mmCIF file of all heavy atoms in Angstrom:
data_model
loop_
_atom_site.group_PDB
_atom_site.id
_atom_site.type_symbol
_atom_site.label_atom_id
_atom_site.label_comp_id
_atom_site.label_asym_id
_atom_site.label_seq_id
_atom_site.Cartn_x
_atom_site.Cartn_y
_atom_site.Cartn_z
ATOM 1 N N VAL F 59 15.607 -23.835 -18.226
ATOM 2 C CA VAL F 59 16.216 -25.145 -18.438
ATOM 3 C C VAL F 59 17.680 -24.924 -18.845
ATOM 4 O O VAL F 59 17.960 -24.196 -19.797
ATOM 5 C CB VAL F 59 15.484 -25.924 -19.551
ATOM 6 C CG1 VAL F 59 16.167 -27.293 -19.764
ATOM 7 C CG2 VAL F 59 14.020 -26.132 -19.158
ATOM 8 N N VAL F 60 18.600 -25.517 -18.046
ATOM 9 C CA VAL F 60 20.017 -25.341 -18.341
ATOM 10 C C VAL F 60 20.621 -26.686 -18.682
ATOM 11 O O VAL F 60 20.127 -27.755 -18.293
ATOM 12 C CB VAL F 60 20.772 -24.734 -17.134
ATOM 13 C CG1 VAL F 60 20.231 -23.334 -16.826
ATOM 14 C CG2 VAL F 60 20.651 -25.609 -15.901
ATOM 15 N N ASP F 61 21.730 -26.643 -19.442
ATOM 16 C CA ASP F 61 22.410 -27.880 -19.843
ATOM 17 C C ASP F 61 23.503 -28.236 -18.858
ATOM 18 O O ASP F 61 23.570 -27.688 -17.755
ATOM 19 C CB ASP F 61 22.926 -27.723 -21.260
ATOM 20 C CG ASP F 61 23.883 -26.548 -21.417
ATOM 21 O OD1 ASP F 61 24.400 -26.094 -20.400
ATOM 22 O OD2 ASP F 61 24.099 -26.078 -22.548
ATOM 23 N N THR F 62 24.398 -29.115 -19.299
ATOM 24 C CA THR F 62 25.436 -29.620 -18.392
ATOM 25 C C THR F 62 26.469 -28.561 -17.986
ATOM 26 O O THR F 62 27.186 -28.755 -17.025
ATOM 27 C CB THR F 62 26.172 -30.794 -19.073
ATOM 28 O OG1 THR F 62 26.648 -30.366 -20.335
ATOM 29 C CG2 THR F 62 25.217 -31.996 -19.259
ATOM 30 N N VAL F 63 26.570 -27.490 -18.753
ATOM 31 C CA VAL F 63 27.502 -26.444 -18.429
ATOM 32 C C VAL F 63 26.766 -25.154 -17.994
ATOM 33 O O VAL F 63 27.294 -24.042 -18.111
ATOM 34 C CB VAL F 63 28.451 -26.142 -19.589
ATOM 35 C CG1 VAL F 63 29.391 -27.307 -19.838
ATOM 36 C CG2 VAL F 63 27.679 -25.793 -20.860
ATOM 37 N N ASP F 64 25.517 -25.309 -17.560
ATOM 38 C CA ASP F 64 24.682 -24.219 -17.092
ATOM 39 C C ASP F 64 24.341 -23.191 -18.140
ATOM 40 O O ASP F 64 24.039 -22.019 -17.821
ATOM 41 C CB ASP F 64 25.292 -23.536 -15.867
ATOM 42 C CG ASP F 64 25.185 -24.372 -14.615
ATOM 43 O OD1 ASP F 64 24.173 -25.112 -14.525
ATOM 44 O OD2 ASP F 64 26.064 -24.272 -13.705
ATOM 45 N N GLY F 65 24.406 -23.579 -19.417
ATOM 46 C CA GLY F 65 23.921 -22.711 -20.463
ATOM 47 C C GLY F 65 22.414 -22.798 -20.577
ATOM 48 O O GLY F 65 21.832 -23.884 -20.415
ATOM 49 N N VAL F 66 21.737 -21.673 -20.788
ATOM 50 C CA VAL F 66 20.278 -21.655 -20.867
ATOM 51 C C VAL F 66 19.838 -22.161 -22.239
ATOM 52 O O VAL F 66 20.164 -21.563 -23.267
ATOM 53 C CB VAL F 66 19.744 -20.231 -20.621
ATOM 54 C CG1 VAL F 66 18.214 -20.191 -20.815
ATOM 55 C CG2 VAL F 66 20.140 -19.750 -19.249
ATOM 56 N N VAL F 67 19.140 -23.308 -22.255
ATOM 57 C CA VAL F 67 18.651 -23.850 -23.506
ATOM 58 C C VAL F 67 17.173 -23.499 -23.698
ATOM 59 O O VAL F 67 16.681 -23.576 -24.836
ATOM 60 C CB VAL F 67 18.834 -25.377 -23.544
ATOM 61 C CG1 VAL F 67 20.316 -25.707 -23.515
ATOM 62 C CG2 VAL F 67 18.112 -26.087 -22.405
ATOM 63 N N ARG F 97 22.720 -31.257 -9.870
ATOM 64 C CA ARG F 97 23.450 -32.046 -10.845
ATOM 65 C C ARG F 97 24.340 -33.092 -10.141
ATOM 66 O O ARG F 97 24.479 -34.211 -10.626
ATOM 67 C CB ARG F 97 24.301 -31.139 -11.716
ATOM 68 C CG ARG F 97 24.967 -31.866 -12.901
ATOM 69 C CD ARG F 97 25.718 -30.876 -13.786
ATOM 70 N NE ARG F 97 24.826 -29.938 -14.446
ATOM 71 C CZ ARG F 97 24.736 -28.637 -14.162
ATOM 72 N NH1 ARG F 97 25.539 -28.137 -13.228
ATOM 73 N NH2 ARG F 97 23.919 -27.880 -14.804
ATOM 74 N N GLU F 131 20.161 -34.910 -19.104
ATOM 75 C CA GLU F 131 21.119 -33.893 -19.481
ATOM 76 C C GLU F 131 20.790 -32.494 -18.928
ATOM 77 O O GLU F 131 21.669 -31.632 -18.939
ATOM 78 C CB GLU F 131 21.240 -33.761 -21.006
ATOM 79 C CG GLU F 131 21.596 -35.084 -21.701
ATOM 80 C CD GLU F 131 23.028 -35.487 -21.410
ATOM 81 O OE1 GLU F 131 23.812 -34.580 -21.027
ATOM 82 O OE2 GLU F 131 23.364 -36.679 -21.545
ATOM 83 N N TYR F 132 19.591 -32.303 -18.476
ATOM 84 C CA TYR F 132 19.156 -30.917 -18.161
ATOM 85 C C TYR F 132 18.783 -30.758 -16.704
ATOM 86 O O TYR F 132 18.477 -31.732 -15.984
ATOM 87 C CB TYR F 132 17.944 -30.546 -19.026
ATOM 88 C CG TYR F 132 18.210 -30.543 -20.486
ATOM 89 C CD1 TYR F 132 17.619 -31.447 -21.344
ATOM 90 C CD2 TYR F 132 19.110 -29.590 -21.034
ATOM 91 C CE1 TYR F 132 17.880 -31.460 -22.689
ATOM 92 C CE2 TYR F 132 19.365 -29.600 -22.386
ATOM 93 C CZ TYR F 132 18.752 -30.525 -23.223
ATOM 94 O OH TYR F 132 19.050 -30.517 -24.562
#
Side-chain angles (χ1 to χ4, degrees):
V59 179
V60 297
D61 57 21
T62 54
V63 292
D64 285 330
V66 176
V67 296
R97 187 176 294 111
E131 303 291 339
Y132 298 114

